[in-house]
Amino acid sequence: MTGARVGSALTDEQAAVRDLVREFAAEEVRPTAAVADETETFPEDVWDGLAELGLTGLTVPEEYSGFGADETTYAVANEALAHGSLAVATALSVHCLATSCIAEFGTESQREAWLPEMAETGRPVGMFCLSEPHAGSNPAEMSTTATYDAEADEYVLNGEKQWITNGQRGGVAIVFAKVDGGETDRDDAHATGDDAITQFLVPADTAGFEVGKKEEKLGLRASDTTGITFDDCRIPAENRLTEPGRGLSAAFRTLTEGRIGIAAQAVGVAQAALDEATSYAEEREQFDRPIGDIQTIRHKLAEMSTDVSAARLLVREACRQAEAGEDYRVAASKAKYRASEAAMSVTNEAVQIHGGYGYTTEFDVERLYRDAKITEIYEGTTEVQKTIIARGVFGE
Ligand SMILES: Cc1cc2nc3c(=O)[nH]c(=O)nc-3n(C[C@H](O)[C@H](O)[C@H](O)COP(=O)(O)OP(=O)(O)OC[C@H]3O[C@@H](n4cnc5c(N)ncnc54)[C@H](O)[C@@H]3O)c2cc1C
């Protein structure tokens, strides 16, 4: 990478992880990214490489064979990986959402049953099933239900989830649903509506777990995104991870952690675009000189570099607050909002600096530009982030 780096007050261990992932991304991930995008195929050998490095266990506690990464380590790993491919980084961060839910909310036997394998081999691949066709920014409107069958001591899931990353590759899903009556261990468990949302651990080979068609997307084309339908999908009652009524707050807590990862990924995409544009500006000549000698282009690169640095610092600040045990929701939203905006503007300018060539698949900036957009949408849109930030402004 040629872009100057700031905010590098990392511990030796954090810097070592960053360098390791950066090297892996440059040697193993980036070279496969264009073909994976074109063929819409997830590079499974890259995934196996991530597992060998221990990265599929990034957020898994060490006692379950994981990496036990702190927030900063998680962020620098995500940034470095997204520099190679946002599709791969997205798949990993969703896998990490699933392992985080099992680690935080699962029983001891569930942790032992799932986490070591998910950490060490990256299999089964994890999914996080919150969004639905009619419930995106407001997941409280979800209509997937879980009905308790007391005789069998099972829950029966019915409903439809949408936009599920790792939908085809995934082996185990964290599924959010509304408990629909039935006996549970809380007095108010018969409540319906938001009060009854909880989360379940659902193996993908359970009868009634049906994977829909793969979405055709603007970017992130190597990452499989599908719908998932639950048709009388029966799971043991012990697979319920949180009490009814606690599921939504659990989802938001997990997503706040995840948001730092997405923000870091956006920084990685922006840094990749800045690096590409810088190299191109050094090589491309017009009017008998490299375009990098033209003041207008130099100012573009200066603005891009400043955007990347500012976004990275916001990510680091969110990590600092999280590690200090502070309420970091607003900081995570600021980081995601500003980093995704930087990813959009920096990739846009990187295409511009490439001129007509930037509009072709011959150059990586074309893919980076298409990929960047998703960072403004998933794990909470920019508008949702601003709503959270505004609440912070008013101290609400
Ligand atoms: C490639 C991809 C991968 C994804 N992966 C996953 C996954 O693994 N798991 C998962 O559960 N979900 C996933 N998602 C879903 C993603 O999180 C949602 O798309 C996102 O939360 C937005 O929801 P929506 O698409 O329904 O948009 P909507 O909620 O319908 O929003 C439409 C527009 O209205 C705006 N809006 C809505 N409400 C408000 C408000 N109150 N104030 C201001 N503006 C508002 C939004 O910001 C947006 O601009 C993925 C999505 C994509 C595209």
PDB file of all heavy atoms in Angstrom, residues 1 5 7-8 10-11 13-19 21-22 55 58 70-83 260-261 264-265 268 312 315-316 319:
ATOM      1  N   MET A   1       0.843  -1.192   0.000  1.00  0.00           N
ATOM      2  CA  MET A   1       0.000   0.000   0.000  1.00  0.00           C
ATOM      3  C   MET A   1       0.883   1.248   0.000  1.00  0.00           C
ATOM      4  O   MET A   1       1.890   1.299   0.689  1.00  0.00           O
ATOM      5  CB  MET A   1      -0.855   0.017   1.268  1.00  0.00           C
ATOM      6  CG  MET A   1      -1.859  -1.095   1.331  1.00  0.00           C
ATOM      7  SD  MET A   1      -2.822  -0.967   2.836  1.00  0.00           S
ATOM      8  CE  MET A   1      -3.234  -2.690   3.067  1.00  0.00           C
ATOM      9  N   ARG A   5      -0.341   6.109   6.536  1.00  0.00           N
ATOM     10  CA  ARG A   5      -1.229   5.578   7.563  1.00  0.00           C
ATOM     11  C   ARG A   5      -1.133   6.435   8.811  1.00  0.00           C
ATOM     12  O   ARG A   5      -0.063   6.888   9.180  1.00  0.00           O
ATOM     13  CB  ARG A   5      -0.856   4.136   7.882  1.00  0.00           C
ATOM     14  CG  ARG A   5      -1.012   3.281   6.672  1.00  0.00           C
ATOM     15  CD  ARG A   5      -1.056   1.822   7.021  1.00  0.00           C
ATOM     16  NE  ARG A   5      -1.590   1.127   5.876  1.00  0.00           N
ATOM     17  CZ  ARG A   5      -2.873   0.886   5.697  1.00  0.00           C
ATOM     18  NH1 ARG A   5      -3.760   1.258   6.585  1.00  0.00           N
ATOM     19  NH2 ARG A   5      -3.288   0.259   4.636  1.00  0.00           N
ATOM     20  N   GLY A   7      -2.939   7.175  12.956  1.00  0.00           N
ATOM     21  CA  GLY A   7      -3.647   6.531  14.049  1.00  0.00           C
ATOM     22  C   GLY A   7      -3.111   5.143  14.317  1.00  0.00           C
ATOM     23  O   GLY A   7      -3.858   4.233  14.608  1.00  0.00           O
ATOM     24  N   SER A   8      -1.791   4.962  14.196  1.00  0.00           N
ATOM     25  CA  SER A   8      -1.231   3.615  14.254  1.00  0.00           C
ATOM     26  C   SER A   8      -0.745   3.255  15.643  1.00  0.00           C
ATOM     27  O   SER A   8       0.215   2.524  15.796  1.00  0.00           O
ATOM     28  CB  SER A   8      -0.105   3.492  13.237  1.00  0.00           C
ATOM     29  OG  SER A   8       0.847   4.497  13.480  1.00  0.00           O
ATOM     30  N   LEU A  10      -1.007   1.119  17.698  1.00  0.00           N
ATOM     31  CA  LEU A  10      -1.431  -0.254  17.936  1.00  0.00           C
ATOM     32  C   LEU A  10      -0.432  -0.935  18.864  1.00  0.00           C
ATOM     33  O   LEU A  10       0.751  -0.590  18.879  1.00  0.00           O
ATOM     34  CB  LEU A  10      -1.495  -1.021  16.612  1.00  0.00           C
ATOM     35  CG  LEU A  10      -2.411  -0.473  15.523  1.00  0.00           C
ATOM     36  CD1 LEU A  10      -2.265  -1.304  14.249  1.00  0.00           C
ATOM     37  CD2 LEU A  10      -3.863  -0.469  15.989  1.00  0.00           C
ATOM     38  N   THR A  11      -0.907  -1.946  19.598  1.00  0.00           N
ATOM     39  CA  THR A  11       0.035  -2.763  20.358  1.00  0.00           C
ATOM     40  C   THR A  11       0.824  -3.614  19.357  1.00  0.00           C
ATOM     41  O   THR A  11       0.421  -3.744  18.186  1.00  0.00           O
ATOM     42  CB  THR A  11      -0.710  -3.702  21.321  1.00  0.00           C
ATOM     43  OG1 THR A  11      -1.494  -4.609  20.534  1.00  0.00           O
ATOM     44  CG2 THR A  11      -1.617  -2.932  22.277  1.00  0.00           C
ATOM     45  N   GLU A  13       0.996  -6.737  19.225  1.00  0.00           N
ATOM     46  CA  GLU A  13       0.179  -7.873  18.770  1.00  0.00           C
ATOM     47  C   GLU A  13      -0.846  -7.417  17.723  1.00  0.00           C
ATOM     48  O   GLU A  13      -1.056  -8.093  16.700  1.00  0.00           O
ATOM     49  CB  GLU A  13      -0.540  -8.515  19.967  1.00  0.00           C
ATOM     50  CG  GLU A  13      -1.083  -9.884  19.619  1.00  0.00           C
ATOM     51  CD  GLU A  13      -1.878 -10.520  20.753  1.00  0.00           C
ATOM     52  OE1 GLU A  13      -1.707 -10.094  21.914  1.00  0.00           O
ATOM     53  OE2 GLU A  13      -2.668 -11.414  20.469  1.00  0.00           O
ATOM     54  N   GLN A  14      -1.475  -6.273  17.964  1.00  0.00           N
ATOM     55  CA  GLN A  14      -2.450  -5.760  16.992  1.00  0.00           C
ATOM     56  C   GLN A  14      -1.774  -5.466  15.654  1.00  0.00           C
ATOM     57  O   GLN A  14      -2.304  -5.793  14.588  1.00  0.00           O
ATOM     58  CB  GLN A  14      -3.120  -4.490  17.542  1.00  0.00           C
ATOM     59  CG  GLN A  14      -4.067  -4.760  18.693  1.00  0.00           C
ATOM     60  CD  GLN A  14      -4.395  -3.509  19.502  1.00  0.00           C
ATOM     61  OE1 GLN A  14      -3.747  -2.468  19.366  1.00  0.00           O
ATOM     62  NE2 GLN A  14      -5.407  -3.611  20.348  1.00  0.00           N
ATOM     63  N   ALA A  15      -0.581  -4.855  15.723  1.00  0.00           N
ATOM     64  CA  ALA A  15       0.147  -4.539  14.484  1.00  0.00           C
ATOM     65  C   ALA A  15       0.551  -5.822  13.759  1.00  0.00           C
ATOM     66  O   ALA A  15       0.508  -5.888  12.521  1.00  0.00           O
ATOM     67  CB  ALA A  15       1.378  -3.696  14.809  1.00  0.00           C
ATOM     68  N   ALA A  16       0.902  -6.854  14.536  1.00  0.00           N
ATOM     69  CA  ALA A  16       1.301  -8.126  13.915  1.00  0.00           C
ATOM     70  C   ALA A  16       0.116  -8.763  13.182  1.00  0.00           C
ATOM     71  O   ALA A  16       0.267  -9.279  12.068  1.00  0.00           O
ATOM     72  CB  ALA A  16       1.844  -9.076  14.981  1.00  0.00           C
ATOM     73  N   VAL A  17      -1.078  -8.699  13.799  1.00  0.00           N
ATOM     74  CA  VAL A  17      -2.270  -9.253  13.142  1.00  0.00           C
ATOM     75  C   VAL A  17      -2.566  -8.463  11.872  1.00  0.00           C
ATOM     76  O   VAL A  17      -2.826  -9.036  10.803  1.00  0.00           O
ATOM     77  CB  VAL A  17      -3.490  -9.223  14.097  1.00  0.00           C
ATOM     78  CG1 VAL A  17      -4.771  -9.614  13.354  1.00  0.00           C
ATOM     79  CG2 VAL A  17      -3.266 -10.148  15.279  1.00  0.00           C
ATOM     80  N   ARG A  18      -2.504  -7.133  11.978  1.00  0.00           N
ATOM     81  CA  ARG A  18      -2.748  -6.295  10.794  1.00  0.00           C
ATOM     82  C   ARG A  18      -1.797  -6.673   9.661  1.00  0.00           C
ATOM     83  O   ARG A  18      -2.203  -6.859   8.516  1.00  0.00           O
ATOM     84  CB  ARG A  18      -2.565  -4.823  11.163  1.00  0.00           C
ATOM     85  CG  ARG A  18      -2.770  -3.869   9.990  1.00  0.00           C
ATOM     86  CD  ARG A  18      -2.161  -2.524  10.254  1.00  0.00           C
ATOM     87  NE  ARG A  18      -0.722  -2.651  10.524  1.00  0.00           N
ATOM     88  CZ  ARG A  18       0.046  -1.680  10.974  1.00  0.00           C
ATOM     89  NH1 ARG A  18      -0.474  -0.511  11.252  1.00  0.00           N
ATOM     90  NH2 ARG A  18       1.347  -1.867  11.189  1.00  0.00           N
ATOM     91  N   ASP A  19      -0.514  -6.819   9.993  1.00  0.00           N
ATOM     92  CA  ASP A  19       0.477  -7.115   8.952  1.00  0.00           C
ATOM     93  C   ASP A  19       0.255  -8.500   8.350  1.00  0.00           C
ATOM     94  O   ASP A  19       0.397  -8.699   7.145  1.00  0.00           O
ATOM     95  CB  ASP A  19       1.892  -7.003   9.522  1.00  0.00           C
ATOM     96  CG  ASP A  19       2.214  -5.560   9.911  1.00  0.00           C
ATOM     97  OD1 ASP A  19       1.460  -4.649   9.490  1.00  0.00           O
ATOM     98  OD2 ASP A  19       3.189  -5.348  10.660  1.00  0.00           O
ATOM     99  N   VAL A  21      -2.632 -10.158   8.143  1.00  0.00           N
ATOM    100  CA  VAL A  21      -3.823 -10.157   7.282  1.00  0.00           C
ATOM    101  C   VAL A  21      -3.549  -9.353   6.011  1.00  0.00           C
ATOM    102  O   VAL A  21      -3.973  -9.729   4.916  1.00  0.00           O
ATOM    103  CB  VAL A  21      -5.058  -9.601   8.032  1.00  0.00           C
ATOM    104  CG1 VAL A  21      -6.294  -9.648   7.137  1.00  0.00           C
ATOM    105  CG2 VAL A  21      -5.310 -10.379   9.312  1.00  0.00           C
ATOM    106  N   ARG A  22      -2.804  -8.273   6.163  1.00  0.00           N
ATOM    107  CA  ARG A  22      -2.469  -7.451   4.999  1.00  0.00           C
ATOM    108  C   ARG A  22      -1.691  -8.284   3.961  1.00  0.00           C
ATOM    109  O   ARG A  22      -1.968  -8.230   2.766  1.00  0.00           O
ATOM    110  CB  ARG A  22      -1.608  -6.274   5.476  1.00  0.00           C
ATOM    111  CG  ARG A  22      -1.651  -5.085   4.576  1.00  0.00           C
ATOM    112  CD  ARG A  22      -0.706  -4.036   5.094  1.00  0.00           C
ATOM    113  NE  ARG A  22      -1.327  -3.080   5.979  1.00  0.00           N
ATOM    114  CZ  ARG A  22      -0.657  -2.107   6.585  1.00  0.00           C
ATOM    115  NH1 ARG A  22       0.643  -2.000   6.440  1.00  0.00           N
ATOM    116  NH2 ARG A  22      -1.294  -1.255   7.350  1.00  0.00           N
ATOM    117  N   LEU A  55      -8.412 -16.748  11.602  1.00  0.00           N
ATOM    118  CA  LEU A  55      -9.285 -15.570  11.501  1.00  0.00           C
ATOM    119  C   LEU A  55     -10.766 -15.918  11.548  1.00  0.00           C
ATOM    120  O   LEU A  55     -11.590 -15.068  11.878  1.00  0.00           O
ATOM    121  CB  LEU A  55      -8.959 -14.789  10.220  1.00  0.00           C
ATOM    122  CG  LEU A  55      -7.544 -14.207  10.189  1.00  0.00           C
ATOM    123  CD1 LEU A  55      -7.226 -13.605   8.839  1.00  0.00           C
ATOM    124  CD2 LEU A  55      -7.384 -13.148  11.276  1.00  0.00           C
ATOM    125  N   LEU A  58     -11.931 -15.182  14.954  1.00  0.00           N
ATOM    126  CA  LEU A  58     -11.516 -13.866  15.454  1.00  0.00           C
ATOM    127  C   LEU A  58     -12.210 -13.468  16.748  1.00  0.00           C
ATOM    128  O   LEU A  58     -11.563 -13.025  17.700  1.00  0.00           O
ATOM    129  CB  LEU A  58     -11.824 -12.799  14.391  1.00  0.00           C
ATOM    130  CG  LEU A  58     -10.683 -12.204  13.572  1.00  0.00           C
ATOM    131  CD1 LEU A  58     -11.206 -11.081  12.712  1.00  0.00           C
ATOM    132  CD2 LEU A  58      -9.550 -11.699  14.444  1.00  0.00           C
ATOM    133  N   ASP A  70      -9.635  -8.380  20.556  1.00  0.00           N
ATOM    134  CA  ASP A  70     -10.268  -7.160  21.058  1.00  0.00           C
ATOM    135  C   ASP A  70     -10.807  -6.376  19.855  1.00  0.00           C
ATOM    136  O   ASP A  70     -10.571  -6.752  18.694  1.00  0.00           O
ATOM    137  CB  ASP A  70      -9.279  -6.325  21.890  1.00  0.00           C
ATOM    138  CG  ASP A  70      -8.016  -5.978  21.111  1.00  0.00           C
ATOM    139  OD1 ASP A  70      -8.085  -5.831  19.875  1.00  0.00           O
ATOM    140  OD2 ASP A  70      -6.948  -5.839  21.740  1.00  0.00           O
ATOM    141  N   GLU A  71     -11.511  -5.276  20.128  1.00  0.00           N
ATOM    142  CA  GLU A  71     -12.164  -4.528  19.043  1.00  0.00           C
ATOM    143  C   GLU A  71     -11.157  -3.993  18.025  1.00  0.00           C
ATOM    144  O   GLU A  71     -11.405  -4.019  16.825  1.00  0.00           O
ATOM    145  CB  GLU A  71     -12.977  -3.356  19.618  1.00  0.00           C
ATOM    146  CG  GLU A  71     -14.203  -3.779  20.408  1.00  0.00           C
ATOM    147  CD  GLU A  71     -15.279  -4.395  19.543  1.00  0.00           C
ATOM    148  OE1 GLU A  71     -15.261  -4.207  18.313  1.00  0.00           O
ATOM    149  OE2 GLU A  71     -16.147  -5.087  20.100  1.00  0.00           O
ATOM    150  N   THR A  72     -10.027  -3.491  18.538  1.00  0.00           N
ATOM    151  CA  THR A  72      -9.040  -2.910  17.613  1.00  0.00           C
ATOM    152  C   THR A  72      -8.473  -3.982  16.687  1.00  0.00           C
ATOM    153  O   THR A  72      -8.317  -3.760  15.479  1.00  0.00           O
ATOM    154  CB  THR A  72      -7.909  -2.223  18.408  1.00  0.00           C
ATOM    155  OG1 THR A  72      -8.489  -1.263  19.294  1.00  0.00           O
ATOM    156  CG2 THR A  72      -6.931  -1.515  17.487  1.00  0.00           C
ATOM    157  N   THR A  73      -8.172  -5.141  17.256  1.00  0.00           N
ATOM    158  CA  THR A  73      -7.644  -6.230  16.425  1.00  0.00           C
ATOM    159  C   THR A  73      -8.682  -6.632  15.380  1.00  0.00           C
ATOM    160  O   THR A  73      -8.356  -6.846  14.205  1.00  0.00           O
ATOM    161  CB  THR A  73      -7.283  -7.445  17.306  1.00  0.00           C
ATOM    162  OG1 THR A  73      -6.379  -7.007  18.320  1.00  0.00           O
ATOM    163  CG2 THR A  73      -6.644  -8.552  16.487  1.00  0.00           C
ATOM    164  N   TYR A  74      -9.951  -6.721  15.826  1.00  0.00           N
ATOM    165  CA  TYR A  74     -11.030  -7.070  14.896  1.00  0.00           C
ATOM    166  C   TYR A  74     -11.089  -6.038  13.763  1.00  0.00           C
ATOM    167  O   TYR A  74     -11.210  -6.393  12.586  1.00  0.00           O
ATOM    168  CB  TYR A  74     -12.356  -7.108  15.673  1.00  0.00           C
ATOM    169  CG  TYR A  74     -13.537  -7.539  14.839  1.00  0.00           C
ATOM    170  CD1 TYR A  74     -13.636  -8.835  14.349  1.00  0.00           C
ATOM    171  CD2 TYR A  74     -14.560  -6.633  14.536  1.00  0.00           C
ATOM    172  CE1 TYR A  74     -14.719  -9.227  13.573  1.00  0.00           C
ATOM    173  CE2 TYR A  74     -15.637  -7.018  13.767  1.00  0.00           C
ATOM    174  CZ  TYR A  74     -15.716  -8.315  13.289  1.00  0.00           C
ATOM    175  OH  TYR A  74     -16.783  -8.705  12.508  1.00  0.00           O
ATOM    176  N   ALA A  75     -10.961  -4.770  14.122  1.00  0.00           N
ATOM    177  CA  ALA A  75     -11.062  -3.705  13.120  1.00  0.00           C
ATOM    178  C   ALA A  75      -9.879  -3.727  12.147  1.00  0.00           C
ATOM    179  O   ALA A  75     -10.079  -3.656  10.931  1.00  0.00           O
ATOM    180  CB  ALA A  75     -11.147  -2.333  13.808  1.00  0.00           C
ATOM    181  N   VAL A  76      -8.667  -3.862  12.653  1.00  0.00           N
ATOM    182  CA  VAL A  76      -7.514  -3.820  11.731  1.00  0.00           C
ATOM    183  C   VAL A  76      -7.516  -5.045  10.819  1.00  0.00           C
ATOM    184  O   VAL A  76      -7.125  -4.952   9.645  1.00  0.00           O
ATOM    185  CB  VAL A  76      -6.148  -3.658  12.462  1.00  0.00           C
ATOM    186  CG1 VAL A  76      -6.078  -2.322  13.176  1.00  0.00           C
ATOM    187  CG2 VAL A  76      -5.850  -4.811  13.396  1.00  0.00           C
ATOM    188  N   ALA A  77      -7.982  -6.179  11.332  1.00  0.00           N
ATOM    189  CA  ALA A  77      -8.070  -7.383  10.486  1.00  0.00           C
ATOM    190  C   ALA A  77      -9.114  -7.169   9.391  1.00  0.00           C
ATOM    191  O   ALA A  77      -8.893  -7.521   8.225  1.00  0.00           O
ATOM    192  CB  ALA A  77      -8.419  -8.597  11.335  1.00  0.00           C
ATOM    193  N   ASN A  78     -10.241  -6.575   9.749  1.00  0.00           N
ATOM    194  CA  ASN A  78     -11.302  -6.322   8.761  1.00  0.00           C
ATOM    195  C   ASN A  78     -10.854  -5.327   7.703  1.00  0.00           C
ATOM    196  O   ASN A  78     -11.141  -5.499   6.518  1.00  0.00           O
ATOM    197  CB  ASN A  78     -12.568  -5.820   9.451  1.00  0.00           C
ATOM    198  CG  ASN A  78     -13.500  -6.957   9.805  1.00  0.00           C
ATOM    199  OD1 ASN A  78     -14.159  -7.518   8.933  1.00  0.00           O
ATOM    200  ND2 ASN A  78     -13.531  -7.328  11.067  1.00  0.00           N
ATOM    201  N   GLU A  79     -10.154  -4.281   8.139  1.00  0.00           N
ATOM    202  CA  GLU A  79      -9.674  -3.293   7.161  1.00  0.00           C
ATOM    203  C   GLU A  79      -8.699  -3.947   6.177  1.00  0.00           C
ATOM    204  O   GLU A  79      -8.809  -3.779   4.952  1.00  0.00           O
ATOM    205  CB  GLU A  79      -8.989  -2.110   7.866  1.00  0.00           C
ATOM    206  CG  GLU A  79      -8.518  -1.080   6.852  1.00  0.00           C
ATOM    207  CD  GLU A  79      -7.620   0.024   7.412  1.00  0.00           C
ATOM    208  OE1 GLU A  79      -7.781   0.399   8.588  1.00  0.00           O
ATOM    209  OE2 GLU A  79      -6.763   0.507   6.643  1.00  0.00           O
ATOM    210  N   ALA A  80      -7.759  -4.708   6.720  1.00  0.00           N
ATOM    211  CA  ALA A  80      -6.739  -5.325   5.858  1.00  0.00           C
ATOM    212  C   ALA A  80      -7.367  -6.337   4.894  1.00  0.00           C
ATOM    213  O   ALA A  80      -6.983  -6.412   3.723  1.00  0.00           O
ATOM    214  CB  ALA A  80      -5.679  -5.994   6.722  1.00  0.00           C
ATOM    215  N   LEU A  81      -8.344  -7.093   5.392  1.00  0.00           N
ATOM    216  CA  LEU A  81      -8.975  -8.105   4.525  1.00  0.00           C
ATOM    217  C   LEU A  81      -9.811  -7.444   3.426  1.00  0.00           C
ATOM    218  O   LEU A  81      -9.790  -7.872   2.267  1.00  0.00           O
ATOM    219  CB  LEU A  81      -9.843  -9.036   5.383  1.00  0.00           C
ATOM    220  CG  LEU A  81     -10.392 -10.284   4.691  1.00  0.00           C
ATOM    221  CD1 LEU A  81      -9.257 -11.141   4.116  1.00  0.00           C
ATOM    222  CD2 LEU A  81     -11.218 -11.112   5.677  1.00  0.00           C
ATOM    223  N   ALA A  82     -10.543  -6.381   3.800  1.00  0.00           N
ATOM    224  CA  ALA A  82     -11.370  -5.683   2.804  1.00  0.00           C
ATOM    225  C   ALA A  82     -10.511  -4.987   1.758  1.00  0.00           C
ATOM    226  O   ALA A  82     -10.965  -4.756   0.638  1.00  0.00           O
ATOM    227  CB  ALA A  82     -12.280  -4.670   3.499  1.00  0.00           C
ATOM    228  N   HIS A  83      -9.272  -4.684   2.109  1.00  0.00           N
ATOM    229  CA  HIS A  83      -8.350  -4.128   1.110  1.00  0.00           C
ATOM    230  C   HIS A  83      -8.164  -5.139  -0.022  1.00  0.00           C
ATOM    231  O   HIS A  83      -7.965  -4.777  -1.181  1.00  0.00           O
ATOM    232  CB  HIS A  83      -7.016  -3.795   1.777  1.00  0.00           C
ATOM    233  CG  HIS A  83      -6.098  -2.977   0.931  1.00  0.00           C
ATOM    234  ND1 HIS A  83      -5.302  -3.519  -0.046  1.00  0.00           N
ATOM    235  CD2 HIS A  83      -5.854  -1.645   0.908  1.00  0.00           C
ATOM    236  CE1 HIS A  83      -4.603  -2.561  -0.631  1.00  0.00           C
ATOM    237  NE2 HIS A  83      -4.924  -1.411  -0.068  1.00  0.00           N
ATOM    238  N   ILE A 260     -18.555  -1.709  13.798  1.00  0.00           N
ATOM    239  CA  ILE A 260     -17.148  -1.301  13.796  1.00  0.00           C
ATOM    240  C   ILE A 260     -16.416  -2.069  12.694  1.00  0.00           C
ATOM    241  O   ILE A 260     -15.579  -1.517  11.983  1.00  0.00           O
ATOM    242  CB  ILE A 260     -16.497  -1.545  15.181  1.00  0.00           C
ATOM    243  CG1 ILE A 260     -17.122  -0.604  16.214  1.00  0.00           C
ATOM    244  CG2 ILE A 260     -14.987  -1.357  15.098  1.00  0.00           C
ATOM    245  CD1 ILE A 260     -16.501  -0.690  17.596  1.00  0.00           C
ATOM    246  N   GLY A 261     -16.755  -3.351  12.558  1.00  0.00           N
ATOM    247  CA  GLY A 261     -16.127  -4.159  11.511  1.00  0.00           C
ATOM    248  C   GLY A 261     -16.470  -3.648  10.125  1.00  0.00           C
ATOM    249  O   GLY A 261     -15.600  -3.559   9.244  1.00  0.00           O
ATOM    250  N   ALA A 264     -14.607  -0.486   9.457  1.00  0.00           N
ATOM    251  CA  ALA A 264     -13.205  -0.790   9.145  1.00  0.00           C
ATOM    252  C   ALA A 264     -13.081  -1.326   7.717  1.00  0.00           C
ATOM    253  O   ALA A 264     -12.127  -1.011   6.999  1.00  0.00           O
ATOM    254  CB  ALA A 264     -12.649  -1.799  10.154  1.00  0.00           C
ATOM    255  N   GLN A 265     -14.046  -2.141   7.313  1.00  0.00           N
ATOM    256  CA  GLN A 265     -14.019  -2.666   5.935  1.00  0.00           C
ATOM    257  C   GLN A 265     -14.145  -1.521   4.929  1.00  0.00           C
ATOM    258  O   GLN A 265     -13.479  -1.520   3.884  1.00  0.00           O
ATOM    259  CB  GLN A 265     -15.160  -3.662   5.727  1.00  0.00           C
ATOM    260  CG  GLN A 265     -14.959  -4.968   6.482  1.00  0.00           C
ATOM    261  CD  GLN A 265     -16.173  -5.883   6.393  1.00  0.00           C
ATOM    262  OE1 GLN A 265     -17.098  -5.636   5.627  1.00  0.00           O
ATOM    263  NE2 GLN A 265     -16.164  -6.936   7.180  1.00  0.00           N
ATOM    264  N   GLY A 268     -10.930  -0.030   4.482  1.00  0.00           N
ATOM    265  CA  GLY A 268     -10.082  -0.890   3.653  1.00  0.00           C
ATOM    266  C   GLY A 268     -10.362  -0.714   2.168  1.00  0.00           C
ATOM    267  O   GLY A 268      -9.428  -0.648   1.350  1.00  0.00           O
ATOM    268  N   ARG A 312     -10.539   6.269   9.443  1.00  0.00           N
ATOM    269  CA  ARG A 312      -9.802   5.278  10.256  1.00  0.00           C
ATOM    270  C   ARG A 312      -9.734   5.740  11.717  1.00  0.00           C
ATOM    271  O   ARG A 312      -9.874   4.932  12.639  1.00  0.00           O
ATOM    272  CB  ARG A 312      -8.393   5.073   9.677  1.00  0.00           C
ATOM    273  CG  ARG A 312      -7.627   3.971  10.400  1.00  0.00           C
ATOM    274  CD  ARG A 312      -6.257   3.733   9.787  1.00  0.00           C
ATOM    275  NE  ARG A 312      -6.329   3.171   8.460  1.00  0.00           N
ATOM    276  CZ  ARG A 312      -5.818   3.761   7.368  1.00  0.00           C
ATOM    277  NH1 ARG A 312      -5.207   4.909   7.459  1.00  0.00           N
ATOM    278  NH2 ARG A 312      -5.926   3.179   6.194  1.00  0.00           N
ATOM    279  N   VAL A 315     -12.921   4.974  13.443  1.00  0.00           N
ATOM    280  CA  VAL A 315     -12.993   3.541  13.774  1.00  0.00           C
ATOM    281  C   VAL A 315     -12.182   3.266  15.038  1.00  0.00           C
ATOM    282  O   VAL A 315     -12.648   2.598  15.976  1.00  0.00           O
ATOM    283  CB  VAL A 315     -12.482   2.672  12.602  1.00  0.00           C
ATOM    284  CG1 VAL A 315     -12.399   1.199  13.021  1.00  0.00           C
ATOM    285  CG2 VAL A 315     -13.391   2.818  11.376  1.00  0.00           C
ATOM    286  N   ARG A 316     -10.970   3.812  15.088  1.00  0.00           N
ATOM    287  CA  ARG A 316     -10.105   3.574  16.260  1.00  0.00           C
ATOM    288  C   ARG A 316     -10.741   4.131  17.530  1.00  0.00           C
ATOM    289  O   ARG A 316     -10.636   3.550  18.609  1.00  0.00           O
ATOM    290  CB  ARG A 316      -8.732   4.222  16.050  1.00  0.00           C
ATOM    291  CG  ARG A 316      -7.908   3.616  14.948  1.00  0.00           C
ATOM    292  CD  ARG A 316      -7.221   2.322  15.382  1.00  0.00           C
ATOM    293  NE  ARG A 316      -6.777   1.585  14.211  1.00  0.00           N
ATOM    294  CZ  ARG A 316      -5.661   1.852  13.540  1.00  0.00           C
ATOM    295  NH1 ARG A 316      -4.850   2.796  13.962  1.00  0.00           N
ATOM    296  NH2 ARG A 316      -5.336   1.154  12.475  1.00  0.00           N
ATOM    297  N   CYS A 319     -13.364   1.807  18.715  1.00  0.00           N
ATOM    298  CA  CYS A 319     -12.701   0.645  19.343  1.00  0.00           C
ATOM    299  C   CYS A 319     -12.235   1.007  20.755  1.00  0.00           C
ATOM    300  O   CYS A 319     -12.403   0.222  21.698  1.00  0.00           O
ATOM    301  CB  CYS A 319     -11.491   0.204  18.526  1.00  0.00           C
ATOM    302  SG  CYS A 319     -11.902  -0.483  16.926  1.00  0.00           S
TER     303      CYS A 319
END
